[in-house]
Amino acid sequence: GLPNRGAFLDRVEAATVQAAAAGGTLALLFVDIDHFKRVNDSLGHLAGDALLQVVASRITGTLRSTDLVARFAGDEFVVLLGGEQRPADIRDVAHKLLAVIEAPVDVDGRSISISPSIGVALFPQDASTPAELLKNADTAMYHAKARGRAQCLFFEPAMARAAYDAIVMESELAQALAQG
């Protein structure tokens, strides 16, 4: 019942144009369910789909009607918060999402506990385009996972540098191995 990635990206594009013209801000939250593959592997994909529907309902039930929620891919959701949001307000929303998603879910008669990792990027502070905004929120989410999961982190430029440095190192190691 949520917009898909394409519809979300179209709406983010329009929202960034509007925010830029009005001097406004946006916050993009990238939400990923921790260890979701284990749910599909142990209970099956139908149970995983049912769990995703519950998560989607919990996310939309936590937000304002003016906020935009979409299923981005697999077990990933994205949230766009409009209006003048202070970092403390965004952090409060993220912590509400952490709490509501972590509540046990009944799937096929079993109580399942899950947790999300959330990355946040702000427009225009962290990104000047929708693609960059999404990439930076995703980067922050992966850093949240690396810190132990079930956390929320705001994007920092050092995160992008660390990701780039890791790719360069990986490439150089592969070349070194190939060259003996």
Side-chain angles (χ1 to χ4, degrees):
L2 296 178
N4 64 15
R5 179 188 343 212
F8 180 79
L9 293 174
D10 288 345
R11 292 180 189 173
V12 171
E13 178 74 37
T16 56
V17 168
Q18 185 178 12
T25 62
L26 300 169
L28 194 145
L29 287 70
F30 201 107
V31 181
D32 184 83
I33 306 304
D34 299 330
H35 304 294
F36 183 74
K37 184 178 181 330
R38 289 194 305 199
V39 173
N40 281 340
D41 290 348
S42 61
L43 301 177
H45 288 275
L46 291 178
D49 289 348
L51 179 65
L52 291 174
Q53 289 173 334
V54 169
V55 170
S57 176
R58 288 179 177 182
I59 291 172
T60 56
T62 302
L63 301 172
R64 304 169 300 184
S65 61
T66 55
D67 298 327
L68 176 61
V69 181
R71 174 142 175 240
F72 197 70
D75 62 334
E76 298 171 336
F77 296 87
V78 283
V79 175
L80 186 68
L81 305 177
E84 290 301 316
Q85 300 282 329
R86 297 175 308 152
D89 297 332
I90 298 164
R91 194 173 317 291
D92 286 346
V93 169
H95 286 287
K96 286 177 186 174
L97 289 174
L98 285 169
V100 75
I101 294 170
E102 287 178 338
V105 178
D106 181 55
V107 178
D108 293 337
R110 295 180 181 98
S111 182
I112 305 295
S113 294
I114 58 169
S115 64
S117 291
I118 302 174
V120 180
L122 307 176
F123 176 87
Q125 299 91 316
D126 297 328
S128 59
T129 67
E132 187 180 19
L133 184 66
L134 189 61
K135 178 179 70 88
N136 291 345
D138 186 38
T139 296
M141 182 273 299
Y142 276 103
H143 279 264
K145 281 188 175 297
R147 286 202 180 164
R149 303 177 190 271
Q151 295 191 37
C152 170
L153 287 180
F154 280 68
F155 175 78
E156 297 173 8
M159 293 175 177
R161 285 192 300 276
Y164 176 77
D165 290 347
I167 286 175
V168 169
M169 175 72 75
E170 198 174 295
S171 176
E172 289 173 349
L173 285 171
Q175 289 173 354
L177 287 171
Q179 296 171 358

